[in-house]
Amino acid sequence: MEPTPPPLPPPSPLEGPQRGGWPAPGPYTSPGIPYAAGPYAGAPGAVPYGPPPRTTNGLAVASLVSGIVCCLPPLGLVLGLVALPRIRKRDQRGKGLAVVGIVLSAVSCLLLVAGLVTGGFSSAWSDFKEGVDEASRSKSPFSLRTGQCFSDDGKLGEYTEEVTIVDCDRPHEGEVTGGFKLTGIDKWPGEDAIDRVAEQRCETVNAAYALDTWAVPEDLWVYYYLPSSESWRFGDRTVTCAYATEKKPFSGSVRSDATTLTLDQERFLRAVNPIETVMYREPEDDPDEDFAGNRAWSGEMLAAIDTARADLGKHSWTGVPEAPVAELRTGLDAASKQWRELAAATDADAYWDAYDAAWEALPDSAAARTALGLTGTPPEGEGTSA
């Protein structure tokens, strides 16, 4: 018979689990629940137990922002009033923010109502729109279009980068008469070369734009914007022509072309205007110094007078009284004889003998112009001849 082993001693509570049994309960555990490690209260890194932190109410923040921005005053007022009871119930922060938002929004609402009642809001909105409109009118000189009136933000005669387009009924410094592009030139020719071309061609453009020359104020002159050497490199070849003044701004448009004139008015002006154009080309030197030049000019005047007389006779004046036009033609007949004598002068003395009579023979076209509905009074300082 085998000996029986002695019984095992009872396990110590500090030893591991018994073979085939449940783990012994240990501190901070219960039977069947594994141990979870973590910081203990009072140990380094432990978080003491207490109430959760207070949060800031979002509606209170929104109320303050709306009150400051003032874009929607009622919204800030409503948000603040809704936020206050929620802050009390939830023990949140933001009461001061809500109160400030309510106050600012209430003030904005009062100002809005006062503005609507007194018209101040409407006036402010009108001023705002006017400012936006004014900004949209500021343009480069090279973006100007025929018929636009403008004020030069710099000084006329100096290089400028910006002009302001204004209504032609308002005071302005210039009116665009047209423009053209420089062609056949690849390399920058220099400002003087462009200036010579622009002066000649813009005179023609201006003459076609304002056929009723007597309606053009005497202090207006041919003006133009030229490409600069810098803009030329970027392909700018545009010359903008205008009538402009350096003196007191003028009001109203000087435009009188086929778009604004009747057929009778246009035919009349195209017939008589060449006389005025040649008149201004009289040589600066008198016949004693430049007889040939003066005699050639008198021949040009004779040709302009004869052409005007013939053109006035070709047109049938159906819409206006014919008598004033017929009277003007009779006057041109007499003037033609005197200018023919001047153009035939053989020397300076003979030229001087016929000079005054030729000028005095030029008829006054005021009656015919008035009958046609055109300007009947020439600009100050101008004669009343055709």
Side-chain angles (χ1 to χ4, degrees):
M1 178 176 176
E2 294 182 359
T4 302
L8 294 175
S12 170
L14 299 179
E15 292 180 358
Q18 301 180 32
R19 295 179 182 178
W22 294 98
Y28 315 108
T29 67
S30 58
I33 300 178
Y35 173 76
Y40 303 103
V47 178
Y49 175 80
R54 298 175 68 197
T55 59
T56 302
N57 186 274
L59 293 178
V61 176
S63 173
L64 177 63
V65 173
S66 299
I68 294 175
V69 175
C70 296
C71 57
L72 293 171
L75 177 61
L77 183 62
V78 171
L79 292 175
L81 293 175
V82 172
L84 286 178
R86 293 191 178 186
I87 290 173
R88 285 196 304 272
K89 292 178 181 178
R90 301 177 183 180
D91 192 25
Q92 291 179 306
R93 295 194 185 97
K95 180 178 180 180
L97 301 178
V99 171
V100 174
I102 292 172
V103 173
L104 292 176
S105 297
V107 172
S108 298
C109 289
L110 292 174
L111 292 176
L112 178 61
V113 173
L116 292 173
V117 172
T118 62
F121 183 76
S122 176
S123 176
W125 176 248
S126 176
D127 292 342
F128 173 76
K129 290 196 298 182
E130 184 176 349
V132 172
D133 181 62
E134 193 70 23
S136 67
R137 290 171 179 260
S138 297
K139 296 188 176 181
S140 163
F142 303 106
S143 66
L144 291 171
R145 297 293 177 264
T146 301
Q148 289 182 326
C149 296
F150 64 91
S151 292
D152 195 321
D153 295 340
K155 291 183 178 179
L156 287 172
E158 297 181 1
Y159 181 76
T160 185
E161 294 182 347
E162 186 175 286
V163 295
T164 301
I165 299 174
V166 300
D167 192 299
C168 289
D169 291 334
R170 297 174 56 187
H172 52 275
E173 296 172 338
E175 181 173 350
V176 181
T177 58
F180 59 92
K181 286 186 177 293
L182 298 165
T183 59
I185 309 174
D186 295 328
K187 188 177 180 181
W188 168 248
E191 187 173 320
D192 291 341
I194 298 179
D195 187 81
R196 287 191 294 269
V197 174
E199 182 176 4
Q200 181 178 1
R201 293 192 60 177
C202 281
E203 284 182 355
T204 303
V205 171
N206 283 22
Y209 183 84
L211 291 173
D212 190 1
T213 56
W214 286 17
V216 179
E218 62 172 342
D219 57 352
L220 292 190
W221 43 283
V222 177
Y223 187 78
Y224 38 84
Y225 289 104
L226 307 176
S228 65
S229 58
E230 291 79 8
S231 66
W232 184 276
R233 289 198 294 267
F234 295 99
D236 179 21
R237 302 291 187 273
T238 302
V239 175
T240 302
C241 306
Y243 269 119
T245 179
E246 286 184 328
K247 297 181 180 179
K248 184 179 179 181
F250 64 102
S251 300
S253 173
V254 298
R255 186 169 194 168
S256 53
D257 55 12
T259 65
T260 62
L261 299 173
T262 66
L263 182 59
D264 286 335
Q265 292 172 332
E266 184 181 358
R267 289 283 180 86
F268 177 85
L269 293 172
R270 289 191 183 280
V272 302
N273 279 359
I275 300 176
E276 189 177 77
T277 300
V278 176
M279 187 186 302
Y280 291 131
R281 296 178 185 166
E282 183 177 11
E284 294 183 5
D285 295 332
D286 59 38
D288 296 320
E289 299 173 345
D290 184 12
F291 173 68
N294 280 270
R295 183 177 177 179
W297 168 77
S298 63
E300 292 178 8
M301 279 290 293
L302 175 62
I305 291 170
D306 288 343
T307 300
R309 181 182 56 170
D311 289 346
L312 291 176
K314 293 176 182 177
H315 184 61
S316 177
W317 309 92
T318 56
V320 296
E322 293 188 28
V325 179
E327 184 178 348
L328 177 60
R329 286 193 68 229
T330 302
L332 290 174
D333 287 338
S336 176
K337 298 175 183 177
Q338 294 296 329
W339 282 89
R340 191 176 304 278
E341 181 180 344
L342 181 64
T346 56
D347 55 34
D349 290 337
Y351 192 92
W352 281 123
D353 290 341
Y355 184 79
D356 289 339
W359 276 106
E360 291 172 1
L362 284 176
D364 185 356
S365 63
R369 290 173 181 266
T370 301
L372 288 164
L374 299 168
T375 305
T377 304
E380 264 183 62
E382 303 294 339
T384 56
S385 60

Short mmCIF file of all heavy atoms in Angstrom, two decimals, residues 171-224:
data_model
loop_
_atom_site.label_atom_id
_atom_site.label_comp_id
_atom_site.label_asym_id
_atom_site.label_seq_id
_atom_site.Cartn_x
_atom_site.Cartn_y
_atom_site.Cartn_z
N PRO A 171 -20.83 120.54 -65.90
CA PRO A 171 -19.56 121.17 -66.30
C PRO A 171 -18.47 120.12 -66.52
O PRO A 171 -18.31 119.20 -65.74
CB PRO A 171 -19.24 122.07 -65.10
CG PRO A 171 -20.56 122.36 -64.47
CD PRO A 171 -21.36 121.09 -64.64
N HIS A 172 -17.74 120.27 -67.60
CA HIS A 172 -16.66 119.34 -67.93
C HIS A 172 -15.58 120.07 -68.70
O HIS A 172 -15.77 121.21 -69.15
CB HIS A 172 -17.19 118.14 -68.74
CG HIS A 172 -17.99 118.53 -69.94
ND1 HIS A 172 -19.34 118.84 -69.88
CD2 HIS A 172 -17.65 118.68 -71.25
CE1 HIS A 172 -19.78 119.16 -71.09
NE2 HIS A 172 -18.76 119.07 -71.93
N GLU A 173 -14.45 119.42 -68.86
CA GLU A 173 -13.30 120.06 -69.51
C GLU A 173 -13.11 119.62 -70.95
O GLU A 173 -12.40 120.29 -71.71
CB GLU A 173 -12.03 119.74 -68.72
CG GLU A 173 -12.04 120.32 -67.32
CD GLU A 173 -10.86 119.83 -66.49
OE1 GLU A 173 -10.31 118.76 -66.82
OE2 GLU A 173 -10.50 120.52 -65.52
N GLY A 174 -13.69 118.49 -71.33
CA GLY A 174 -13.47 118.01 -72.69
C GLY A 174 -14.59 117.13 -73.18
O GLY A 174 -15.40 116.61 -72.40
N GLU A 175 -14.65 116.97 -74.51
CA GLU A 175 -15.64 116.11 -75.14
C GLU A 175 -14.94 115.35 -76.27
O GLU A 175 -14.28 115.96 -77.12
CB GLU A 175 -16.81 116.92 -75.69
CG GLU A 175 -17.89 116.09 -76.35
CD GLU A 175 -19.12 116.91 -76.72
OE1 GLU A 175 -19.22 118.08 -76.30
OE2 GLU A 175 -19.99 116.37 -77.44
N VAL A 176 -15.09 114.04 -76.26
CA VAL A 176 -14.42 113.19 -77.25
C VAL A 176 -15.11 113.31 -78.60
O VAL A 176 -16.32 113.13 -78.70
CB VAL A 176 -14.40 111.72 -76.79
CG1 VAL A 176 -13.67 110.85 -77.81
CG2 VAL A 176 -13.75 111.59 -75.43
N THR A 177 -14.33 113.61 -79.63
CA THR A 177 -14.89 113.78 -80.97
C THR A 177 -14.63 112.57 -81.86
O THR A 177 -15.22 112.45 -82.94
CB THR A 177 -14.28 115.02 -81.64
OG1 THR A 177 -12.85 114.88 -81.67
CG2 THR A 177 -14.63 116.28 -80.84
N GLY A 178 -13.74 111.69 -81.46
CA GLY A 178 -13.41 110.52 -82.26
C GLY A 178 -11.98 110.08 -82.00
O GLY A 178 -11.38 110.44 -80.99
N GLY A 179 -11.42 109.36 -82.93
CA GLY A 179 -10.05 108.88 -82.78
C GLY A 179 -9.65 108.05 -83.97
O GLY A 179 -10.45 107.80 -84.88
N PHE A 180 -8.42 107.62 -83.96
CA PHE A 180 -7.91 106.79 -85.06
C PHE A 180 -6.71 106.00 -84.56
O PHE A 180 -6.15 106.30 -83.50
CB PHE A 180 -7.52 107.66 -86.26
CG PHE A 180 -6.45 108.68 -85.96
CD1 PHE A 180 -5.10 108.38 -86.15
CD2 PHE A 180 -6.79 109.94 -85.47
CE1 PHE A 180 -4.11 109.31 -85.87
CE2 PHE A 180 -5.80 110.88 -85.18
CZ PHE A 180 -4.47 110.56 -85.39
N LYS A 181 -6.32 105.01 -85.35
CA LYS A 181 -5.16 104.18 -85.02
C LYS A 181 -4.01 104.51 -85.96
O LYS A 181 -4.21 104.72 -87.16
CB LYS A 181 -5.51 102.69 -85.11
CG LYS A 181 -6.37 102.19 -83.96
CD LYS A 181 -6.55 100.68 -84.04
CE LYS A 181 -7.35 100.17 -82.85
NZ LYS A 181 -6.61 100.32 -81.59
N LEU A 182 -2.83 104.57 -85.41
CA LEU A 182 -1.62 104.80 -86.20
C LEU A 182 -1.23 103.48 -86.86
O LEU A 182 -1.06 102.47 -86.18
CB LEU A 182 -0.49 105.30 -85.31
CG LEU A 182 -0.76 106.66 -84.62
CD1 LEU A 182 0.23 106.88 -83.49
CD2 LEU A 182 -0.67 107.79 -85.62
N THR A 183 -1.11 103.49 -88.16
CA THR A 183 -0.80 102.26 -88.89
C THR A 183 0.50 102.44 -89.68
O THR A 183 0.93 103.56 -89.97
CB THR A 183 -1.95 101.90 -89.85
OG1 THR A 183 -2.15 102.98 -90.76
CG2 THR A 183 -3.23 101.63 -89.08
N GLY A 184 1.08 101.30 -90.05
CA GLY A 184 2.29 101.31 -90.87
C GLY A 184 3.53 101.72 -90.11
O GLY A 184 4.55 102.05 -90.74
N ILE A 185 3.47 101.75 -88.79
CA ILE A 185 4.64 102.13 -87.97
C ILE A 185 4.89 101.01 -86.97
O ILE A 185 4.03 100.71 -86.14
CB ILE A 185 4.39 103.45 -87.21
CG1 ILE A 185 3.89 104.54 -88.17
CG2 ILE A 185 5.67 103.91 -86.51
CD1 ILE A 185 3.48 105.83 -87.46
N ASP A 186 6.04 100.41 -87.04
CA ASP A 186 6.38 99.32 -86.12
C ASP A 186 7.19 99.82 -84.94
O ASP A 186 6.93 99.47 -83.79
CB ASP A 186 7.16 98.23 -86.86
CG ASP A 186 6.31 97.56 -87.94
OD1 ASP A 186 5.09 97.46 -87.73
OD2 ASP A 186 6.87 97.17 -88.98
N LYS A 187 8.18 100.65 -85.20
CA LYS A 187 9.07 101.14 -84.16
C LYS A 187 8.56 102.46 -83.61
O LYS A 187 7.98 103.27 -84.34
CB LYS A 187 10.48 101.30 -84.73
CG LYS A 187 11.54 101.63 -83.69
CD LYS A 187 12.91 101.70 -84.35
CE LYS A 187 13.99 102.03 -83.32
NZ LYS A 187 15.34 102.12 -83.96
N TRP A 188 8.75 102.69 -82.32
CA TRP A 188 8.32 103.93 -81.68
C TRP A 188 8.93 105.12 -82.42
O TRP A 188 10.14 105.30 -82.44
CB TRP A 188 8.73 103.91 -80.22
CG TRP A 188 8.61 105.23 -79.50
CD1 TRP A 188 9.62 106.00 -79.03
CD2 TRP A 188 7.40 105.92 -79.15
NE1 TRP A 188 9.14 107.13 -78.42
CE2 TRP A 188 7.77 107.11 -78.48
CE3 TRP A 188 6.05 105.66 -79.35
CZ2 TRP A 188 6.86 108.02 -78.00
CZ3 TRP A 188 5.12 106.57 -78.87
CH2 TRP A 188 5.52 107.73 -78.21
N PRO A 189 8.09 106.00 -83.03
CA PRO A 189 8.63 107.09 -83.85
C PRO A 189 9.00 108.34 -83.07
O PRO A 189 9.56 109.29 -83.64
CB PRO A 189 7.48 107.37 -84.82
CG PRO A 189 6.26 107.06 -84.01
CD PRO A 189 6.63 105.92 -83.10
N GLY A 190 8.64 108.37 -81.82
CA GLY A 190 8.87 109.57 -81.02
C GLY A 190 7.60 110.39 -80.87
O GLY A 190 6.73 110.40 -81.76
N GLU A 191 7.48 111.08 -79.76
CA GLU A 191 6.25 111.83 -79.47
C GLU A 191 6.02 112.96 -80.46
O GLU A 191 4.88 113.24 -80.85
CB GLU A 191 6.32 112.38 -78.04
CG GLU A 191 5.02 113.03 -77.58
CD GLU A 191 5.04 113.41 -76.12
OE1 GLU A 191 5.58 112.63 -75.32
OE2 GLU A 191 4.54 114.50 -75.80
N ASP A 192 7.09 113.63 -80.91
CA ASP A 192 6.92 114.76 -81.85
C ASP A 192 6.32 114.30 -83.17
O ASP A 192 5.46 114.98 -83.74
CB ASP A 192 8.28 115.43 -82.09
CG ASP A 192 8.79 116.16 -80.86
OD1 ASP A 192 7.97 116.45 -79.96
OD2 ASP A 192 10.01 116.43 -80.78
N ALA A 193 6.77 113.15 -83.65
CA ALA A 193 6.24 112.64 -84.92
C ALA A 193 4.77 112.30 -84.80
O ALA A 193 3.96 112.62 -85.69
CB ALA A 193 7.04 111.42 -85.36
N ILE A 194 4.39 111.66 -83.70
CA ILE A 194 2.98 111.33 -83.50
C ILE A 194 2.16 112.59 -83.31
O ILE A 194 1.03 112.70 -83.78
CB ILE A 194 2.83 110.38 -82.29
CG1 ILE A 194 3.56 109.07 -82.53
CG2 ILE A 194 1.35 110.10 -82.01
CD1 ILE A 194 3.48 108.09 -81.39
N ASP A 195 2.72 113.57 -82.63
CA ASP A 195 2.01 114.82 -82.37
C ASP A 195 1.65 115.53 -83.67
O ASP A 195 0.54 116.07 -83.81
CB ASP A 195 2.88 115.72 -81.49
CG ASP A 195 2.13 116.96 -81.04
OD1 ASP A 195 1.35 116.87 -80.08
OD2 ASP A 195 2.33 118.03 -81.67
N ARG A 196 2.54 115.52 -84.64
CA ARG A 196 2.27 116.18 -85.92
C ARG A 196 1.12 115.50 -86.66
O ARG A 196 0.24 116.17 -87.22
CB ARG A 196 3.54 116.19 -86.79
CG ARG A 196 4.60 117.16 -86.31
CD ARG A 196 5.69 117.31 -87.35
NE ARG A 196 6.45 116.07 -87.54
CZ ARG A 196 7.54 115.74 -86.86
NH1 ARG A 196 8.00 116.56 -85.91
NH2 ARG A 196 8.18 114.62 -87.10
N VAL A 197 1.13 114.18 -86.64
CA VAL A 197 0.05 113.44 -87.29
C VAL A 197 -1.28 113.67 -86.56
O VAL A 197 -2.32 113.90 -87.19
CB VAL A 197 0.37 111.94 -87.34
CG1 VAL A 197 -0.80 111.14 -87.89
CG2 VAL A 197 1.62 111.69 -88.17
N ALA A 198 -1.24 113.62 -85.23
CA ALA A 198 -2.46 113.77 -84.43
C ALA A 198 -3.08 115.14 -84.60
O ALA A 198 -4.31 115.27 -84.71
CB ALA A 198 -2.15 113.52 -82.96
N GLU A 199 -2.25 116.18 -84.65
CA GLU A 199 -2.79 117.54 -84.78
C GLU A 199 -3.56 117.69 -86.09
O GLU A 199 -4.67 118.24 -86.11
CB GLU A 199 -1.65 118.55 -84.72
CG GLU A 199 -2.13 120.00 -84.81
CD GLU A 199 -0.99 120.99 -84.66
OE1 GLU A 199 0.18 120.57 -84.58
OE2 GLU A 199 -1.29 122.20 -84.64
N GLN A 200 -2.99 117.20 -87.17
CA GLN A 200 -3.64 117.34 -88.47
C GLN A 200 -4.91 116.50 -88.56
O GLN A 200 -5.97 117.00 -89.00
CB GLN A 200 -2.67 116.94 -89.57
CG GLN A 200 -3.24 117.08 -90.98
CD GLN A 200 -2.23 116.72 -92.05
OE1 GLN A 200 -1.10 116.34 -91.76
NE2 GLN A 200 -2.65 116.83 -93.30
N ARG A 201 -4.83 115.26 -88.15
CA ARG A 201 -5.99 114.38 -88.31
C ARG A 201 -7.09 114.72 -87.32
O ARG A 201 -8.28 114.57 -87.63
CB ARG A 201 -5.56 112.92 -88.17
CG ARG A 201 -4.66 112.47 -89.32
CD ARG A 201 -4.49 110.96 -89.34
NE ARG A 201 -5.76 110.25 -89.50
CZ ARG A 201 -5.85 108.93 -89.59
NH1 ARG A 201 -4.75 108.18 -89.54
NH2 ARG A 201 -7.02 108.34 -89.73
N CYS A 202 -6.74 115.15 -86.10
CA CYS A 202 -7.76 115.50 -85.12
C CYS A 202 -8.50 116.77 -85.51
O CYS A 202 -9.67 116.95 -85.14
CB CYS A 202 -7.15 115.64 -83.73
SG CYS A 202 -6.84 114.05 -82.91
N GLU A 203 -7.85 117.67 -86.25
CA GLU A 203 -8.57 118.84 -86.76
C GLU A 203 -9.69 118.41 -87.70
O GLU A 203 -10.80 118.95 -87.65
CB GLU A 203 -7.59 119.77 -87.49
CG GLU A 203 -6.70 120.58 -86.57
CD GLU A 203 -5.79 121.51 -87.34
OE1 GLU A 203 -5.78 121.44 -88.60
OE2 GLU A 203 -5.07 122.30 -86.71
N THR A 204 -9.39 117.41 -88.54
CA THR A 204 -10.40 116.89 -89.46
C THR A 204 -11.51 116.18 -88.68
O THR A 204 -12.71 116.35 -88.99
CB THR A 204 -9.76 115.92 -90.46
OG1 THR A 204 -8.72 116.59 -91.16
CG2 THR A 204 -10.78 115.40 -91.45
N VAL A 205 -11.13 115.38 -87.67
CA VAL A 205 -12.12 114.67 -86.86
C VAL A 205 -13.03 115.65 -86.13
O VAL A 205 -14.26 115.49 -86.11
CB VAL A 205 -11.41 113.73 -85.85
CG1 VAL A 205 -12.40 113.15 -84.85
CG2 VAL A 205 -10.68 112.61 -86.58
N ASN A 206 -12.44 116.69 -85.55
CA ASN A 206 -13.23 117.68 -84.81
C ASN A 206 -14.18 118.44 -85.73
O ASN A 206 -15.32 118.74 -85.36
CB ASN A 206 -12.31 118.65 -84.09
CG ASN A 206 -11.70 118.06 -82.83
OD1 ASN A 206 -11.63 116.84 -82.69
ND2 ASN A 206 -11.24 118.91 -81.93
N ALA A 207 -13.69 118.78 -86.93
CA ALA A 207 -14.53 119.51 -87.87
C ALA A 207 -15.75 118.70 -88.29
O ALA A 207 -16.85 119.25 -88.45
CB ALA A 207 -13.71 119.90 -89.10
N ALA A 208 -15.58 117.39 -88.45
CA ALA A 208 -16.71 116.54 -88.82
C ALA A 208 -17.66 116.32 -87.65
O ALA A 208 -18.86 116.10 -87.85
CB ALA A 208 -16.20 115.20 -89.34
N TYR A 209 -17.15 116.40 -86.43
CA TYR A 209 -17.96 116.16 -85.23
C TYR A 209 -18.82 117.38 -84.89
O TYR A 209 -19.95 117.24 -84.44
CB TYR A 209 -17.05 115.83 -84.05
CG TYR A 209 -17.76 115.51 -82.76
CD1 TYR A 209 -18.21 114.23 -82.50
CD2 TYR A 209 -17.95 116.49 -81.79
CE1 TYR A 209 -18.86 113.92 -81.31
CE2 TYR A 209 -18.60 116.18 -80.60
CZ TYR A 209 -19.04 114.91 -80.35
OH TYR A 209 -19.68 114.60 -79.17
N ALA A 210 -18.27 118.58 -85.09
CA ALA A 210 -18.98 119.82 -84.75
C ALA A 210 -19.11 120.67 -86.00
O ALA A 210 -18.37 121.64 -86.20
CB ALA A 210 -18.24 120.57 -83.64
N LEU A 211 -20.07 120.32 -86.86
CA LEU A 211 -20.28 121.08 -88.10
C LEU A 211 -20.81 122.48 -87.81
O LEU A 211 -20.49 123.43 -88.52
CB LEU A 211 -21.25 120.32 -89.01
CG LEU A 211 -20.74 119.01 -89.61
CD1 LEU A 211 -21.86 118.27 -90.34
CD2 LEU A 211 -19.57 119.28 -90.55
N ASP A 212 -21.63 122.60 -86.78
CA ASP A 212 -22.13 123.92 -86.39
C ASP A 212 -21.05 124.62 -85.57
O ASP A 212 -21.10 124.66 -84.34
CB ASP A 212 -23.43 123.78 -85.60
CG ASP A 212 -24.12 125.13 -85.38
OD1 ASP A 212 -23.60 126.16 -85.86
OD2 ASP A 212 -25.18 125.14 -84.72
N THR A 213 -20.07 125.17 -86.26
CA THR A 213 -18.89 125.74 -85.60
C THR A 213 -19.23 126.93 -84.71
O THR A 213 -18.51 127.21 -83.76
CB THR A 213 -17.86 126.17 -86.64
OG1 THR A 213 -18.47 127.08 -87.56
CG2 THR A 213 -17.35 124.96 -87.40
N TRP A 214 -20.31 127.62 -85.03
CA TRP A 214 -20.67 128.77 -84.21
C TRP A 214 -21.16 128.35 -82.83
O TRP A 214 -21.25 129.18 -81.92
CB TRP A 214 -21.75 129.60 -84.91
CG TRP A 214 -21.22 130.39 -86.07
CD1 TRP A 214 -20.04 130.21 -86.72
CD2 TRP A 214 -21.88 131.48 -86.72
NE1 TRP A 214 -19.91 131.11 -87.74
CE2 TRP A 214 -21.03 131.91 -87.77
CE3 TRP A 214 -23.10 132.13 -86.54
CZ2 TRP A 214 -21.36 132.96 -88.62
CZ3 TRP A 214 -23.43 133.18 -87.39
CH2 TRP A 214 -22.58 133.61 -88.41
N ALA A 215 -21.50 127.08 -82.66
CA ALA A 215 -21.95 126.58 -81.36
C ALA A 215 -20.79 126.12 -80.49
O ALA A 215 -21.00 125.73 -79.34
CB ALA A 215 -22.93 125.43 -81.55
N VAL A 216 -19.56 126.16 -81.02
CA VAL A 216 -18.40 125.72 -80.26
C VAL A 216 -17.82 126.94 -79.53
O VAL A 216 -17.45 127.93 -80.18
CB VAL A 216 -17.33 125.12 -81.18
CG1 VAL A 216 -16.11 124.69 -80.38
CG2 VAL A 216 -17.90 123.92 -81.94
N PRO A 217 -17.75 126.93 -78.19
CA PRO A 217 -17.18 128.07 -77.44
C PRO A 217 -15.78 128.42 -77.96
O PRO A 217 -15.01 127.56 -78.37
CB PRO A 217 -17.13 127.56 -76.00
CG PRO A 217 -18.20 126.52 -75.93
CD PRO A 217 -18.19 125.85 -77.27
N GLU A 218 -15.45 129.71 -77.92
CA GLU A 218 -14.21 130.17 -78.52
C GLU A 218 -12.97 129.67 -77.79
O GLU A 218 -11.89 129.58 -78.38
CB GLU A 218 -14.17 131.71 -78.54
CG GLU A 218 -14.21 132.34 -77.14
CD GLU A 218 -13.98 133.84 -77.20
OE1 GLU A 218 -13.45 134.30 -78.24
OE2 GLU A 218 -14.30 134.53 -76.23
N ASP A 219 -13.10 129.30 -76.51
CA ASP A 219 -11.91 128.86 -75.78
C ASP A 219 -11.71 127.35 -75.85
O ASP A 219 -10.84 126.80 -75.17
CB ASP A 219 -11.96 129.31 -74.32
CG ASP A 219 -13.21 128.81 -73.58
OD1 ASP A 219 -14.09 128.24 -74.26
OD2 ASP A 219 -13.29 128.99 -72.36
N LEU A 220 -12.51 126.65 -76.67
CA LEU A 220 -12.26 125.23 -76.90
C LEU A 220 -11.24 125.07 -78.02
O LEU A 220 -11.24 125.84 -78.98
CB LEU A 220 -13.55 124.50 -77.30
CG LEU A 220 -14.63 124.37 -76.23
CD1 LEU A 220 -15.71 123.42 -76.72
CD2 LEU A 220 -14.07 123.90 -74.92
N TRP A 221 -10.41 124.09 -77.89
CA TRP A 221 -9.37 123.88 -78.89
C TRP A 221 -9.19 122.38 -79.14
O TRP A 221 -9.69 121.55 -78.38
CB TRP A 221 -8.04 124.50 -78.45
CG TRP A 221 -7.69 124.27 -77.00
CD1 TRP A 221 -8.21 124.91 -75.93
CD2 TRP A 221 -6.77 123.32 -76.48
NE1 TRP A 221 -7.66 124.43 -74.77
CE2 TRP A 221 -6.76 123.46 -75.07
CE3 TRP A 221 -5.92 122.37 -77.06
CZ2 TRP A 221 -5.96 122.67 -74.25
CZ3 TRP A 221 -5.13 121.60 -76.23
CH2 TRP A 221 -5.15 121.76 -74.85
N VAL A 222 -8.51 122.06 -80.22
CA VAL A 222 -8.27 120.68 -80.58
C VAL A 222 -7.32 120.06 -79.55
O VAL A 222 -6.24 120.59 -79.28
CB VAL A 222 -7.68 120.55 -81.99
CG1 VAL A 222 -7.37 119.10 -82.31
CG2 VAL A 222 -8.64 121.13 -83.01
N TYR A 223 -7.72 118.93 -79.00
CA TYR A 223 -6.94 118.26 -77.97
C TYR A 223 -6.89 116.78 -78.30
O TYR A 223 -7.81 116.25 -78.94
CB TYR A 223 -7.57 118.49 -76.60
CG TYR A 223 -6.75 117.97 -75.44
CD1 TYR A 223 -5.66 118.67 -74.98
CD2 TYR A 223 -7.10 116.77 -74.83
CE1 TYR A 223 -4.91 118.19 -73.92
CE2 TYR A 223 -6.35 116.29 -73.77
CZ TYR A 223 -5.26 117.00 -73.32
OH TYR A 223 -4.52 116.52 -72.28
N TYR A 224 -5.83 116.11 -77.90
CA TYR A 224 -5.73 114.68 -78.19
C TYR A 224 -4.85 113.98 -77.18
O TYR A 224 -3.93 114.59 -76.59
CB TYR A 224 -5.19 114.43 -79.60
CG TYR A 224 -4.10 115.38 -80.04
CD1 TYR A 224 -2.77 115.18 -79.71
CD2 TYR A 224 -4.43 116.50 -80.81
CE1 TYR A 224 -1.79 116.07 -80.12
CE2 TYR A 224 -3.45 117.39 -81.22
CZ TYR A 224 -2.13 117.18 -80.88
OH TYR A 224 -1.16 118.07 -81.27
#
